[in-house]
Amino acid sequence: MSFNPSDYYNSCTQCPRQCKSSRTQGQKGFCRETSDLRIALAGLHFGEEPLITVHGGSGTIFFTGCTLRCSFCQNYQISQQEMGSKVRMADFVRMCLLLQKHGAENINLVTGSHHIPLIAQYLKVAKKCGLTIPIAWNSSAYESTEMLSLLDGLVDIWLPDFKTLNTELSRSLFGAEDYPDVAKKAVEWMIEHSPLKIRELKIEGKDYEKIESGVIIRHLFLPGRFEDTVMTLDYLKEHADTKACISLMSQYTPVPFKGSEQELESRKKSLSIIENRLVTPDEDADLQDIIEAYDFDWLFYQELSDDTSWLPDFNRCQPFSNKLALPLWHWKEGFIQNQTTGN
């Protein structure tokens, strides 16, 4: 039987919400997307873990829409406010090859869980057209193993968030009470299907390490919620240590959201379950003590910073600071001719 991506968009059950929207008929799913694949930005990104960024940066492609409703999402403009433009297969392939030409270490597909069938099809064509660098799947882990299996053999590196094991938090912050159970199954599937392979290399006289396959599991510490992070780290120590890399992030940042009064009020109510503020130096010190006690085989820990200038604005051709990213395609401008500076 031939593979037809459109079959997955009729009465859509791609994500665990099983909303059964007729996306091929123009009906939007919970993800706020039809069967048209839309993208907000493609470019080199230098703010990922060292194993991903290496020397040339990660070739990130940000998809429009999302299967979650994270109240603190820094990319809310594209994940929740539908910012992005329709992209056909030819332009997607061109993006991938352009990123490769500009020295990207990998193609980093950000939040594409609601478009797995189309992305799988497009990746197969891109590889036939000369794409050779590793493919990284950057997701919330809120996805079924049945859909992930469509990416088996296409994706080399998995970058799942592992947000929480607390159902109260996931219900309030993400609009998905079942997130913990779904994410555990997804992450364990990724680990099973992608053994960790890290290569040492020297570039311009400097030593680097580069992940060629495997899983980097990210967990964001929420200010004041030590018990939730400890619960998550306990699980990861048992199920992921030595088999995957752990990345503990301390970059939680209150986002200056823009939107309707109703949207802002709903977001404020949702965020009331946590302390919506930056992580303090004392919390940072405690976190470092905690992770030292776990003694993970592979662990990345983000340095604390009170700099919030990295928060993106996808209305701009350069959504990030110039030191963090080099945009090559933007949803308003298309392919950017001057790829040495941002707007």
Side-chain angles (χ1 to χ4, degrees), residues 20 32 36 44 63 76 80 83 102 115 120 137 145 172 190 215 234 267 300:
K20 298 185 178 180
R32 293 193 170 104
D36 292 331
L44 297 175
F63 295 96
Y76 75 100
Q80 300 171 23
M83 194 175 285
H102 276 74
H115 272 303
W137 186 254
T145 57
S172 179
M190 293 172 186
V215 186
D234 282 345
R267 197 179 295 278
F300 295 100

Side-chain angles (χ1 to χ4, degrees), residues 45-266:
H45 199 285
F46 302 94
E48 306 283 33
E49 289 84 357
L51 290 178
I52 298 295
T53 301
V54 197
H55 177 265
S58 184
T60 48
I61 298 177
F62 290 84
F63 295 96
T64 302
C66 186
T67 60
L68 292 181
R69 290 283 191 273
C70 297
S71 302
F72 51 81
C73 181
Q74 69 190 47
N75 296 340
Y76 75 100
Q77 293 169 309
I78 61 176
S79 65
Q80 300 171 23
Q81 293 186 343
E82 306 180 40
M83 194 175 285
S85 292
K86 180 180 176 180
V87 171
R88 298 187 183 278
M89 181 190 295
D91 280 339
F92 177 85
V93 172
R94 184 181 171 191
M95 284 180 201
C96 291
L97 296 177
L98 186 62
L99 288 165
Q100 180 173 266
K101 180 181 178 181
H102 276 74
E105 304 286 350
N106 43 65
I107 299 297
N108 186 342
L109 305 174
V110 184
T111 317
S113 304
H114 51 296
H115 272 303
I116 288 178
L118 268 183
I119 293 171
Q121 182 188 48
Y122 290 7
L123 284 176
K124 290 175 183 176
V125 175
K127 288 174 180 285
K128 288 180 181 178
C129 291
L131 183 64
T132 59
I133 57 178
I135 306 298
W137 186 254
N138 190 334
S139 74
S140 67
Y142 191 65
E143 45 209 350
S144 71
T145 57
E146 290 79 12
M147 294 308 301
L148 290 175
S149 67
L150 297 180
L151 298 170
D152 196 15
L154 295 171
V155 168
D156 307 281
I157 304 160
W158 305 87
L159 306 174
D161 289 341
F162 200 66
K163 297 176 181 292
T164 186
L165 289 175
N166 184 326
T167 55
E168 181 186 9
L169 272 184
S170 60
R171 179 176 60 251
S172 179
L173 293 177
F174 318 142
E177 186 175 0
D178 60 344
Y179 175 86
D181 288 337
V182 171
K184 283 191 290 187
K185 292 176 183 176
V187 168
E188 290 175 16
W189 184 96
M190 293 172 186
I191 292 173
E192 179 183 352
H193 286 78
S194 189
L196 193 59
K197 182 181 179 182
I198 297 172
R199 182 162 64 97
E200 295 182 358
L201 63 160
K202 189 179 290 288
I203 303 174
E204 298 178 358
K206 296 181 65 175
D207 294 325
Y208 293 89
E209 291 178 315
K210 177 177 180 176
I211 185 169
E212 295 185 333
S213 70
V215 186
I216 299 178
I217 305 169
R218 295 163 164 175
H219 173 69
L220 176 66
F221 169 71
L222 300 177
R225 306 292 302 216
F226 280 101
E227 289 184 4
D228 293 296
T229 286
V230 168
M231 182 165 52
T232 300
L233 293 177
D234 282 345
Y235 178 85
L236 294 177
K237 181 66 179 178
E238 179 180 353
H239 295 276
D241 193 23
T242 73
K243 296 179 287 187
C245 303
I246 310 303
S247 181
L248 182 58
M249 302 182 293
S250 59
Q251 69 179 21
Y252 183 91
T253 305
V255 177
F257 295 107
K258 295 179 181 179
S260 67
E261 184 176 340
Q262 181 180 5
E263 181 184 357
L264 294 176
E265 185 60 33
S266 175

